[in-house]
Amino acid sequence: MISLLARFFCKSDGKSPAQLRTAYGILCGAVGIGLNLLLFLGKFFAGTLSGSVAITADAFNNLSDAGSSVVTLLGFRIAAKAPDPGHPFGHGRAEYLSGLAVSMLILLMGVELAKESLNKILHPALVEFSWLVIGILAASICVKLYMAMYNRSLGKKLSAPALLAAAADSLGDCMSTSAVLVATLIGHYFQLPVDGWVGILVALFIFKGGIDAAKDTIDPLLGKPPTPEFVKEIEDLVMAHKEISGIHDLVVHDYGPGRVMISLHAEVPATGSVMTIHDTIDNIEQELHRKLGCEAVIHMDPIITDDAQIVQLRRRVAELVRQVEFDALFTFIYSKRTGTKAAELPDPTPRKEKTDRMTRLLKLQDEIAMALVKAQVGQTVQVLVEGYGRNEGTLSGRLDNNLTVEFAADPALMGSYAQVHLTGARATVLLGELET
């Protein structure tokens, strides 16, 4: 039905994505109001006919759902309003507020249902059975399942928390009405007054749906970090331009679905042409808007990447590493530490450049370490056996120079010394055979 109605009321001709999104939201809200009102009338009639508090409570649950649909519809209408002086970033968060209002209505309905059900437990009575009542309940389950499916599908497609909250509510209604149906059948065939207990169970289902829906809307209202996938998309898009050396201080502002603003600092060579780099920054901002649907403000940070003194210093460090031939290096990338003097100093080198420098140094050290390891092959050495090796049936131990040796031996040797003849090497790990 939604697909059919969408052909008439949600035509994409000449509409922007935001306008199309609003049209779908309003359509879902309107359909939700109509279906929930029909379900309320049907269940209220069934509850009155059978005298079941659970069925009557379920009917008023549908009436509250109609109210929720009104809130959802109003939320989409308000969110679609253009920015104004009082709301320069638009009204997109109205959707989050409408989703929160829906969740509060769900919780309120859970409280009322729990009170009615408790009263029914304290004063139990069998309900009147009718196949008409059973038919109304079964039809209600099918309608609510359909509503849950289309709200969930469109909620994911449009990234609309209000629709996802409505989907959770509809799914909860399916379970609660199913429980009422089962209770009606049990009461008829087994003469057991379980109406009140089922009402409590329904109330718990409603509570859970309301809490989950509230969490999904409160998080973006309070402000939550962007997903790692979204951050990576931004980084990949920006770093795809050769003029950019790195980025930092990325901030994502969420003003509602489809209203995301980002700001970041782009590191550019200090020797580059200002006009050329400015054009690149403009192009990146437009590309972010076109591909990721977000408004971007990028600040240029000039950095020095070819300072003669730094280049000479890096070469001197590499020469010293070659001359000394360390067994291993303990290295780290410089980062500011709050409260230290270094944190007050400028840090003009982009992280990408720092990473590249350290990678080159570690590659040099790996070559030196592998040469030192291979030079020991053929010797018989004393090994402190520490634990199991990487390969099955082997043990691992260390020499007095901290190099690792792996060899086949009985696990009983762990914690003791062993004489091992070195027969080969795998990267920086020596391989050997136990001497007997």
Side-chain angles (χ1 to χ4, degrees):
M1 183 174 69
I2 285 291
S3 300
L4 180 63
L5 292 173
R7 294 178 185 176
F8 295 97
F9 299 104
C10 302
K11 294 180 180 179
S12 58
D13 302 340
K15 288 184 179 178
S16 67
Q19 291 173 326
L20 196 60
R21 187 176 187 280
T22 301
Y24 269 106
I26 293 173
L27 176 62
C28 288
V31 171
I33 293 170
L35 291 178
N36 278 310
L37 285 176
L38 288 174
L39 290 175
F40 164 72
L41 293 173
K43 288 184 182 178
F44 186 74
F45 172 73
T48 304
L49 185 65
S50 64
S52 169
V53 66
I55 296 177
T56 303
D58 206 23
F60 279 97
N61 182 27
N62 289 137
L63 185 61
S64 75
D65 291 342
S68 300
S69 296
V70 172
V71 173
T72 300
L73 191 150
L74 290 175
F76 273 95
R77 290 296 296 269
I78 296 171
K81 291 175 63 178
D84 55 45
H87 306 87
F89 300 110
H91 303 76
R93 286 181 178 168
E95 282 190 38
Y96 298 147
L97 290 173
S98 67
L100 182 60
V102 170
S103 65
M104 293 300 104
L105 288 172
I106 295 171
L107 291 172
L108 179 61
M109 194 64 238
V111 171
E112 292 300 319
L113 177 55
K115 288 165 58 178
E116 290 291 332
S117 300
L118 184 60
N119 182 58
K120 193 73 173 181
I121 292 172
L122 296 176
H123 306 91
L126 291 174
V127 298
E128 294 292 329
F129 180 82
S130 167
W131 283 109
L132 177 60
V133 171
I134 298 299
I136 291 173
L137 292 177
S140 172
I141 293 170
C142 294
V143 171
K144 276 295 181 178
L145 186 60
Y146 170 69
M147 291 176 69
M149 290 172 62
Y150 79 69
N151 275 313
R152 183 175 179 80
S153 175
L154 287 175
K156 285 187 172 182
K157 179 181 178 181
L158 304 175
S159 297
L163 292 182
L164 292 173
D169 183 36
S170 296
L171 195 59
D173 288 346
C174 284
M175 293 185 287
S176 63
T177 306
S178 298
V180 172
L181 177 59
V182 171
T184 304
L185 293 172
I186 290 175
H188 174 66
Y189 287 106
F190 298 97
Q191 301 298 304
L192 294 174
V194 296
D195 192 41
W197 293 104
V198 171
I200 291 290
L201 183 62
V202 171
L204 292 176
F205 276 126
I206 292 173
F207 270 126
K208 184 180 184 305
I211 291 170
D212 290 343
K215 185 178 184 303
D216 289 340
T217 54
I218 288 174
D219 283 350
L221 280 172
L222 293 178
K224 62 179 182 179
T227 63
E229 294 79 13
F230 186 60
V231 171
K232 188 172 189 311
E233 281 186 292
I234 295 172
E235 291 177 344
D236 290 346
L237 191 151
V238 176
M239 293 303 298
H241 296 261
K242 60 180 177 31
E243 295 86 355
I244 308 300
S245 301
I247 67 171
H248 61 274
D249 291 348
L250 170 64
V251 180
V252 178
H253 309 269
D254 183 358
Y255 293 101
R259 293 168 176 82
V260 177
M261 294 188 66
I262 67 171
S263 61
L264 62 90
H265 287 219
E267 298 157 356
V268 298
T271 55
S273 166
V274 174
M275 297 300 294
T276 301
I277 294 173
H278 185 271
D279 285 343
T280 300
I281 294 296
D282 278 349
N283 292 335
I284 294 173
E285 290 175 343
Q286 293 174 23
E287 192 176 350
L288 285 166
H289 177 73
R290 188 172 62 255
K291 293 184 176 180
L292 302 184
C294 53
E295 300 295 331
V297 177
I298 300 178
H299 171 77
M300 292 188 297
D301 269 355
I303 58 169
I304 300 173
T305 58
D306 55 356
D307 183 88
Q309 186 176 1
I310 295 176
V311 171
Q312 179 61 31
L313 183 60
R314 290 206 311 270
R315 288 175 180 168
R316 181 60 182 149
V317 169
E319 290 173 3
L320 286 172
V321 170
R322 287 192 185 93
Q323 291 172 12
V324 176
E325 293 188 337
F326 294 103
D327 292 328
L329 292 179
F330 178 71
T331 60
F332 58 92
I333 296 176
Y334 168 76
S335 60
K336 291 186 177 182
R337 302 294 173 90
T338 304
T340 64
K341 287 292 183 181
E344 302 172 6
L345 300 175
D347 183 17
T349 309
R351 186 172 184 83
K352 181 176 181 298
E353 178 65 21
K354 295 175 186 176
T355 303
D356 290 343
R357 292 175 184 176
M358 191 176 77
T359 300
R360 289 194 293 268
L361 185 61
L362 290 177
K363 183 179 179 182
L364 172 62
Q365 175 57 35
D366 285 343
E367 294 172 358
I368 294 170
M370 289 177 68
L372 292 173
V373 167
K374 289 178 180 178
Q376 299 195 51
V377 173
Q379 301 179 33
T380 298
V381 294
Q382 181 175 259
V383 178
L384 174 60
V385 186
E386 295 181 328
Y388 291 102
R390 291 186 180 181
N391 297 320
E392 187 177 354
T394 64
L395 298 180
S396 176
R398 292 187 181 274
L399 303 180
D400 55 7
N401 61 4
N402 209 37
L403 287 177
T404 302
V405 181
E406 192 172 289
F407 56 98
D410 191 318
L413 283 175
M414 283 192 283
S416 62
Y417 285 99
Q419 293 296 119
V420 178
H421 180 69
L422 303 178
T423 59
R426 182 182 64 238
T428 56
V429 177
L430 286 161
L431 306 177
E433 295 176 352
L434 182 66
E435 292 249 317
T436 56

